[in-house]
Amino acid sequence: MKPNESKFELNGDYYSTRFEPSGSETGDTLILNMGPQHPSTHGVLRIIVELDGEYIKKAEPVLGYIHRMHEKMGEVKTYMQYLPNMGRVDYLHALAWNWAYVGAVEKLTGIEVPQRAEYIRVITCELNRICSHLLWWGAYLLDLGAFTPILYAFVDREKIMDILQIVTGSRLTYCYYRFGGVSADITDEFINQTKEFLTYFKTRIPMYHDLVTGNMILRGRCEDIGVLSVETAKQYGATGPVLRGSGIAYDVRKVEPYSVYDKFDFKIPVGQNGDAMDRYDVRVAEMTESLKIIEQALESLPDGHYINPNLPDRIMPPKGEVYYAVEGARGKIGIYIISDGTAKPYRLKLRAPGFSNLHLFAELSQGTLLSDAVSILGSLDLVIPEIDR
Amino acid sequence: MLKDIGKTLIGLWSLIIGLKITGKEFFKPWLTVHYPRQEVKNLNTYRGHIELTGQETDPWKPKCVMCGKCAEICPSGCIHIEFHIAGEDDSSQTEKILIGVGVEIPFSGKKFVPAAKIERELDIFNLNYNLCSLCGLCVQNCPVDAIKFSKDVYLAGRSRQDFEYDLLARLKGQG
């Protein structure tokens, strides 16, 4: 047999060979696949777990089922042509990826962004963040066995998508930001609907708390489950609400403010214990903070151009490299571009926060019940297309 | 012991509060629409596949100046344009110029200026909607606003060919 020819395994594939049933002392463990098709994994994530009774002895995520070569695609497309890809990396917070990419190219090329465009970006990106957290909220509770909350979450999510549809024209995979601004100006309809939504959503958050947060069943499923220590979080490079749940107030919007985020007054919610409940609390509190940001941005929305009128015909950044990071709903999104002075990037690296957060699962789920592992997996808020890229 | 009972009571109360909310929602009006009989209100903001726009004087003639900027910028290469110089026999294949991705069309400065004063006539403007990712770069990049988004929401087809549009024919067939 040739060295690189894969061998057909009757008892599983290459990844499962690392799980030897005979390797355990007693030999009565069960090796189980969670996914790629499983109701508790969001998308095509596969986790191999070794179970002793109902307890997890070892877990290992297997990636690559939805790998689409986004990084390689960046090398064969021009800077402009790569824009629509960004809406498809993380489809739940597409605008943050849009922003990370245009931000990186703007920084490298030295394109100025008008103030109005920056404010529009803040408003739309925060709306998108609420949208993403709402879906997580609904889906997480669905994982835990509560069906109703996702319907409430979708009612509000629809409203946000309607608002974003006015300016972007699409509902999920947005391609709205452009180098030097955004593709369309916001309209009065957009502003009015956003203001309406702000007042409406403020009444919804207390309802969410009454419906779910105080619920004894949820507390039983979340409290002291998947406790993530600060050291572990740092080792794995966790960011976003997962890290903040462990008590570190690390948010790119605050620690290295990009765009106009330093002009807004908002708090970074943090947890204390680092369990699933803390991560839940952080995300729900973040929705309130996002509302505050949108409110302030709408109040101080400046006039002017929505896109830089003096853009070059072709985006040809000079030789060099650039790193640009923004805060997405799942954590720090980073884009690293190396340019060789041509119309196409020489190399493009996407730093997906979900990738780092997912690998915490192997650590957190050790020794827990299988049903608790589902709770842990949900609390990490994973979007598989972003992890696989 | 007392603590446990208290905890249980608080927990049970949380369930009652939850049920109260669900009960209230139960009597609220429907939020969904019954699709074939009703439609959602915001279909006008939908951004569908591209469509050619006609000239003000002659709505059946496209505004397009055949610069090929849309085909050049398209990330998935779904636009195909062919044209011929006016006055010459359009059946002669040698005169036809095919514009694809990467082919440079002469233009100077920011605004598109046709090389010399050559009248061109559009023969083919095809869109392969199978490949399109609706990014809208072509519409934004058009120097003369010759492309717009359609509001076609309800698209369904039986084959791949159903989504290969001849936009010129669509323009001539409208209204």
Side-chain angles (χ1 to χ4, degrees), chain A residues 106-117:
Chain A
E106 279 159 4
K107 193 173 163 189
L108 187 62
T109 322
I111 299 172
E112 263 185 49
V113 185
Q115 279 293 302
R116 187 178 171 84

Side-chain angles (χ1 to χ4, degrees), chain A residues 134-156:
Chain A
L134 275 176
L135 185 87
W136 162 81
W137 186 79
Y140 180 42
L141 297 168
L142 195 64
D143 282 350
L144 298 181
F147 185 76
T148 342
I150 196 167
L151 300 175
Y152 295 111
F154 266 60
V155 169
D156 298 345

Side-chain angles (χ1 to χ4, degrees), chain B residues 50-68:
Chain B
I50 55 165
E51 202 92 78
L52 286 173
T53 51
Q55 294 173 359
E56 271 104 48
T57 49
D58 185 1
W60 283 273
K61 231 179 146 196
K63 262 187 192 173
C64 178
V65 291
M66 289 144 266
C67 63

Side-chain angles (χ1 to χ4, degrees), chain B residues 24-39:
Chain B
K24 249 197 242 164
E25 293 286 326
F26 185 74
F27 291 104
K28 280 189 182 167
W30 274 347
L31 290 163
T32 46
V33 293
H34 275 228
Y35 160 57
R37 292 178 288 279
Q38 290 171 305
E39 274 188 344

Side-chain angles (χ1 to χ4, degrees), chain A residues 81 88 162 168 178 311, chain B residues 42 47 73 110 133 140:
Chain A
Q81 284 177 338
R88 281 138 180 101
D162 285 350
T168 63
R178 296 286 189 266
L311 281 178
Chain B
N42 60 344
R47 209 174 64 179
I73 202 158
K110 288 225 155 314
S133 54
Q140 192 202 8

Side-chain angles (χ1 to χ4, degrees), chain A residues 114-184:
Chain A
Q115 279 293 302
R116 187 178 171 84
E118 296 275 28
Y119 275 76
I120 296 173
R121 282 181 185 181
V122 169
I123 295 167
T124 48
C125 186
E126 292 303 320
L127 277 174
N128 204 190
R129 188 189 310 277
I130 298 175
C131 199
S132 169
H133 281 338
L134 275 176
L135 185 87
W136 162 81
W137 186 79
Y140 180 42
L141 297 168
L142 195 64
D143 282 350
L144 298 181
F147 185 76
T148 342
I150 196 167
L151 300 175
Y152 295 111
F154 266 60
V155 169
D156 298 345
R157 193 164 171 268
E158 281 296 310
K159 284 186 197 293
I160 301 179
M161 293 205 294
D162 285 350
I163 293 171
L164 286 175
Q165 190 187 327
I166 298 170
V167 287
T168 63
S170 37
R171 293 175 74 81
L172 197 69
T173 49
Y174 308 110
C175 176
Y176 179 51
Y177 298 167
R178 296 286 189 266
F179 306 126
V182 292
S183 73

